[in-house]
Amino acid sequence: MSDQVPALLVKLGRFPQLHGGLGVIRTLGRMGVPAYAMVEDRFTPTALSRHLAGRFVLPTTGREDTAELVEALVRIGRRIGRPTVAVPEGDEAAVLLAENADRLAEWFVLPPVPPALPRRVASKEGLHRICQEHGVPTPRTRSPVDRAELVAVSREWGFPVVLKDREAFTKLNGSAMGHTTVVHDEDELLDRCGAVESPSVIVQEYIPLEIAEEWFTHLYVGAGGTPRLVFTGHKLRSWPPRTGLTTRARARPNTVLATLAAELCRAIGYCGIADLDWRFDRRDGRYKLVDFNPRFGQQFRLFSTARGMDVVRALYLDLTGGHVPGGSQIHGRGFIVGNLDAVSATVSAWHERRLPAALSRRNLERAWLTPDDPVPAVAEAVRFSGTVARRLTKPVRALAQKGAVS
């Protein structure tokens, strides 16, 4: 067994086809770190990585009682048998770890973030208040108390508008959103909310990409809110298009954005990994903060320094007493989630009635396929094919079920 401190990827909810956790296992495993992961089943792409030291099959919904989830983590800690760096995948896991750090301290090494802060920044309503307090630009944002106010605000601003789950755990509790959603008219708005009289959503001004650019900052922030690494990148494509998960991006220098992100983290005393999403609004020339995720972003492997340092490696080294070497990011690196990017490019081309812009394929970090760890890419291809098949045949299955009932 390696004498290095182990690490555990902590996951709540079922999303076996997200690639960020696999990136964590790969980046730590290549350092020689014994990297463990919580997985939904034995055949998720992450569970099949050659860099994985061990897997803990623990399918959760995130709706479990907090005490139950904490006890499950303690059991995993006992099985690993020594202090372990916990790396959260998802806002919910980050909130759970921060708010229960005292109970978990026997087995897990965690950044000294103020316990209530991850929940506050992950909350869209809480983040908006933080931005107001510290003078950070954001799109116009409202937290309607009921359907009537939601409709009234949307009418006032004009469609389309953006809907988001208000709190970190909402999307794990049967939310109608699940992810950032652009709503184009009132009928779609009411359909999204269903019969719920007081939907747990915020409504945000929509800034179309025709007058905007999508950027993000990834940081590792040490104790006391001191940024140790700050990376900036430009989102080129996403799934769903224009609102969702990054499928194609490029590492690009942006000192204005790096300064904004670093100063905000310092001002609120944040500590740990952070992934901040921004939209540059050409109408007023300002970067507007859209999301603050208190954990690694799914595309974190886009960013590296010349010494091979990324935010996950920085977290690990800092929490285990190692030296975190400085250095600026390598500019021009690209990142691609091949299967989703192909879908995004195809759908965008169909809607826009033109071929997608040609993007550089040089110095490209791939989410799934790597020469030293090919099996997860095969597993993802199988799962992705199944997902596509289920969605394509859903109308047929619905008709068949309706016929059987009648």
Side-chain angles (χ1 to χ4, degrees):
M1 179 181 287
S2 169
D3 59 0
Q4 293 204 56
V5 176
L8 173 69
L9 179 70
V10 178
K11 176 187 289 190
L12 300 181
R14 300 183 67 90
F15 38 95
Q17 291 178 261
L18 280 184
H19 48 275
L22 176 61
V24 170
I25 298 304
R26 284 170 169 169
T27 198
L28 292 177
R30 288 165 183 157
M31 291 174 64
V33 175
Y36 297 84
M38 294 169 60
V39 295
E40 294 85 345
D41 61 66
R42 294 180 300 156
F43 302 106
T44 68
T46 299
L48 298 174
S49 172
R50 65 179 292 268
H51 296 290
L52 193 68
R55 62 195 177 202
F56 298 94
V57 178
L58 187 65
T60 62
T61 63
R63 297 190 293 272
E64 295 85 356
D65 183 75
T66 296
E68 179 184 345
L69 294 171
V70 170
E71 185 55 37
L73 282 171
V74 170
R75 288 196 299 271
I76 290 174
R78 290 196 188 110
R79 289 179 62 183
I80 296 174
R82 47 190 175 143
T84 300
V85 173
V87 183
E89 180 173 12
D91 296 342
E92 297 79 15
V95 169
L96 181 75
L97 291 173
E99 294 182 348
N100 298 277
D102 290 346
R103 175 73 179 90
L104 297 168
E106 179 182 3
W107 294 109
F108 294 102
V109 184
L110 299 166
V113 64
L117 190 54
R119 183 182 289 273
R120 191 177 178 209
V121 296
S123 161
K124 309 310 179 190
E125 184 176 16
L127 177 62
H128 184 61
R129 290 176 180 171
I130 286 175
C131 290
Q132 288 180 316
E133 291 168 9
H134 295 280
V136 177
T138 65
R140 286 184 296 174
T141 303
R142 291 274 288 275
S143 299
V145 297
D146 53 28
R147 286 163 59 96
E149 184 178 356
L150 175 60
V151 171
V153 171
S154 301
R155 287 174 177 172
E156 177 188 345
W157 290 355
F159 290 95
V161 295
V162 178
L163 297 186
K164 297 181 179 180
D165 291 317
R166 187 173 298 173
E167 304 296 337
F169 281 84
T170 309
K171 65 176 177 288
L172 300 182
N173 292 324
S175 161
M177 297 302 113
H179 55 76
T180 299
T181 303
V182 178
V183 175
H184 296 88
D185 54 47
E186 192 168 319
D187 288 341
E188 184 181 356
L189 177 71
L190 295 174
D191 182 60
R192 279 283 180 181
C193 294
V196 179
E197 186 58 35
S198 298
S200 182
V201 300
I202 66 161
V203 58
Q204 202 167 68
E205 171 192 16
Y206 177 64
I207 306 175
L209 284 181
E210 289 75 18
I211 58 169
E213 297 173 4
E214 291 184 289
W215 288 78
F216 40 78
T217 47
H218 288 202
L219 306 88
Y220 175 67
V221 185
T226 303
R228 307 289 296 276
L229 287 178
V230 183
F231 298 113
T232 58
H234 186 198
K235 181 187 288 192
L236 303 174
R237 277 201 292 260
S238 60
W239 180 255
R242 301 185 173 221
T243 61
L245 189 75
T246 300
T247 64
R248 195 73 178 266
R250 182 75 45 186
R252 290 182 176 165
N254 190 320
T255 54
V256 172
L257 202 52
T259 301
L260 275 173
E263 288 182 349
L264 176 60
C265 289
R266 187 179 290 109
I268 64 177
Y270 183 79
C271 179
I273 297 173
D275 165 28
L276 281 65
D277 294 329
W278 305 79
R279 188 158 284 204
F280 178 68
D281 189 339
R282 294 195 187 99
R283 294 172 301 183
D284 56 16
R286 297 195 299 172
Y287 291 95
K288 298 179 179 180
L289 184 58
V290 177
D291 285 311
F292 188 126
N293 303 302
R295 39 76 179 174
F296 64 85
Q298 294 295 314
Q299 71 278 21
F300 82 93
R301 282 295 302 155
L302 165 65
F303 299 115
S304 177
T305 68
R307 297 185 180 184
M309 194 58 44
D310 60 39
V311 292
V312 171
R313 289 181 174 181
L315 169 79
Y316 178 85
L317 289 173
D318 195 32
L319 295 185
T320 57
H323 171 63
V324 180
S328 57
Q329 72 182 57
I330 300 173
H331 301 304
R333 277 170 57 86
F335 183 84
I336 184 170
V337 187
N339 49 353
L340 292 180
D341 191 58
V343 176
S344 177
T346 301
V347 171
S348 296
W350 173 263
H351 286 305
E352 296 172 9
R353 297 294 190 269
R354 60 184 176 87
L355 293 175
L359 301 175
S360 173
R361 304 188 69 85
R362 298 189 331 173
N363 199 8
L364 202 58
E365 176 84 12
R366 298 180 182 277
W368 295 115
L369 184 61
T370 61
D372 69 330
D373 193 26
V375 176
V378 177
E380 168 57 17
V382 172
R383 284 183 179 257
F384 186 71
S385 298
T387 299
V388 172
R390 284 192 298 274
R391 292 190 178 182
L392 290 176
T393 59
K394 184 177 180 179
V396 176
R397 288 184 282 114
L399 286 173
Q401 186 176 18
K402 183 178 179 181
V405 172
S406 60

